[in-house]
Amino acid sequence: MPSIKDVASLAGVAVGTVSRVINNSGAVKPDTRRRVEEAIQELNYFPNEIARNLKMQRSKTVALLLPSIWNPFFSELAYYIEDELDQEGFKLMLCNSGGKPEKELYYLDMLQQNKVAGIVGITYNDIESSVSNHIPIVSIDRHFDKKITCVTSDNYEGGRLALKELIKAGARNPAFIGSVTSVFSETMNRRKGFVDEAKSLGVNYVVYEKPDPIEDEDAYFDEFFNTHHDVDGIFAITDLLAASYIERARKRGIRVPEDVKVIGYDGIQDHPYFHPILSTIRQPVEEMARMTIRLLFKKFEGGKLGKDVYHLPVQFRQGETT
């Protein structure tokens, strides 16, 4: 009687791939599925129903670990991640950590014990020692030493674009405002691109940062306004921080864009209900989300990925603040 190993050998695939075809679970390329089905027919293979039922108990749930569901960028990302999972018959478990490391550690422990199929994570905390390679994980924006695949936008190019667009709009004393995470994140490359481009153009610039998360935005901006009077261009690390700057600048009688040009990063304010509509570096959110899940499915199959970090291109979107 032929075995599942015989089917895998004839089709030229791994045993796990044959199992996914039989159980109709996980992502399998059409050509691969055809070869497996042909091998099953040729060998007249009948799967062991008891073993098959045990296999079917494998989770069809993927966990998404987010710092906040209130941030529109994370919400949009979650929407497309859920949609991509749904197309493959998987469900999403949303874990909102509030950016707290203790909650992230709790969720990671729970998820690994409950054996979800995989995890997609966004974290800016030092939880390296608790992240395991025993369960498929794809990270967004964050690098881990354990060679966990990372999907991110081209933050460095976004910083360069922002500086160039501020100068093009007439800014002569631009500033980068942001926050510094406790561990390296790709988001820090936004500042690096901004600074490198300013240096290459011989432009005077300011970098203003505080530890992440910013606990008191009023104090943060009070200090900035009191110490940097001549800034006429702002590149904020996120759209939300850019919006906070604009609100406080208006209260001080600073006009945007007449007195100060402002550019954010993310691209979340794309509706006319937002006023003024923010000039921003738009991340390809949908593409990031769908690529993240496709890479996770490749990990389910045991396939090798081409690289550790996948950078997706960004673009400048003109609004009313430059």
Side-chain angles (χ1 to χ4, degrees):
M1 179 179 294
S3 69
I4 192 171
K5 291 183 179 179
D6 297 324
V7 175
S9 178
L10 180 60
V13 298
V15 170
T17 303
V18 177
S19 177
R20 281 190 292 277
V21 172
I22 294 171
N23 295 319
N24 195 29
S25 64
V28 179
K29 293 180 180 178
D31 181 61
T32 302
R33 182 178 294 276
R34 177 186 55 77
R35 295 205 317 271
V36 171
E37 290 172 345
E38 289 175 353
I40 289 172
Q41 291 179 4
E42 182 175 336
L43 294 172
N44 197 28
Y45 170 73
F46 292 94
N48 183 317
E49 287 301 318
I50 296 177
R52 181 179 178 182
N53 287 337
L54 289 173
K55 287 288 186 182
M56 289 294 285
Q57 292 178 15
R58 176 185 143 180
S59 173
K60 299 258 316 188
T61 299
V62 169
L64 173 60
L65 184 63
L66 287 179
S68 170
I69 59 173
W70 295 111
N71 187 308
F73 170 73
F74 294 143
S75 299
E76 185 178 354
L77 193 72
Y79 172 85
Y80 289 117
I81 285 175
E82 191 278 334
D83 184 67
E84 188 70 17
L85 287 170
D86 183 62
Q87 292 181 32
E88 296 294 338
F90 280 71
K91 300 303 179 185
L92 177 70
M93 177 189 293
L94 181 60
C95 302
N96 177 35
S97 72
K100 299 176 181 177
E102 61 272 17
K103 285 192 73 173
E104 292 178 350
L105 293 173
Y106 165 78
Y107 277 131
L108 284 173
D109 182 58
M110 179 194 75
L111 295 171
Q112 293 178 74
Q113 287 186 31
N114 290 342
K115 295 182 173 59
V116 292
I119 300 173
V120 174
I122 303 178
T123 169
Y124 304 112
N125 293 310
D126 186 7
I127 58 171
E128 176 75 28
S129 60
S130 298
V131 177
S132 170
N133 268 329
H134 298 307
I135 184 169
I137 299 178
V138 176
S139 172
I140 296 176
D141 282 344
R142 167 75 183 280
H143 298 189
F144 290 95
D145 292 339
K146 295 183 176 68
K147 298 295 184 182
I148 291 172
T149 306
C150 173
V151 175
T152 186
S153 66
D154 192 342
N155 294 272
Y156 181 81
E157 180 60 23
R160 293 183 63 245
L161 267 175
L163 187 281
K164 287 192 288 188
E165 291 295 337
L166 285 173
I167 298 304
K168 186 190 300 184
R172 293 295 174 263
N173 296 291
F176 170 85
I177 60 173
S179 57
V180 183
T181 54
S182 60
V183 292
F184 176 76
S185 162
E186 277 283 333
T187 60
M188 294 182 183
N189 283 327
R190 299 172 190 178
R191 175 195 62 196
K192 188 175 188 328
F194 175 92
V195 170
D196 286 354
E197 188 65 19
K199 289 179 177 178
S200 72
L201 296 177
V203 174
N204 292 324
Y205 65 91
V206 169
V207 170
Y208 180 77
E209 294 176 312
K210 296 294 180 181
D212 184 78
I214 299 171
E215 300 291 348
D216 186 339
E217 280 201 356
D218 287 332
Y220 176 93
F221 282 110
D222 282 345
E223 179 180 326
F224 176 79
F225 285 118
N226 291 335
T227 55
H228 301 290
H229 307 284
D230 60 345
V231 165
D232 60 0
I234 293 288
F235 172 43
I237 194 169
T238 66
D239 283 352
L240 289 180
L241 193 62
S244 292
Y245 170 86
I246 292 171
E247 178 187 3
R248 288 167 173 81
R250 184 183 294 119
K251 291 178 179 178
R252 289 173 175 262
I254 300 171
R255 300 170 301 166
V256 175
E258 292 83 359
D259 301 324
V260 180
K261 321 297 181 184
V262 179
I263 295 177
Y265 195 108
D266 280 334
I268 60 174
Q269 295 193 35
D270 58 356
H271 196 285
Y273 286 159
F274 290 103
H275 185 75
I277 296 175
L278 185 66
S279 295
T280 186
I281 305 299
R282 171 65 175 172
Q283 297 197 71
V285 186
E286 180 175 358
E287 188 178 354
M288 289 172 65
R290 297 192 187 281
M291 172 177 279
T292 297
I293 298 306
R294 290 195 294 268
L295 292 173
L296 189 67
F297 284 148
K298 282 188 178 181
K299 289 197 170 192
F300 291 168
E301 297 174 4
K304 291 185 177 180
L305 304 184
K307 47 191 173 182
D308 294 332
V309 183
Y310 291 78
H311 293 96
L312 297 179
V314 297
Q315 61 181 1
F316 173 68
R317 191 171 63 199
Q318 180 73 47
E320 300 171 336
T321 59
T322 52

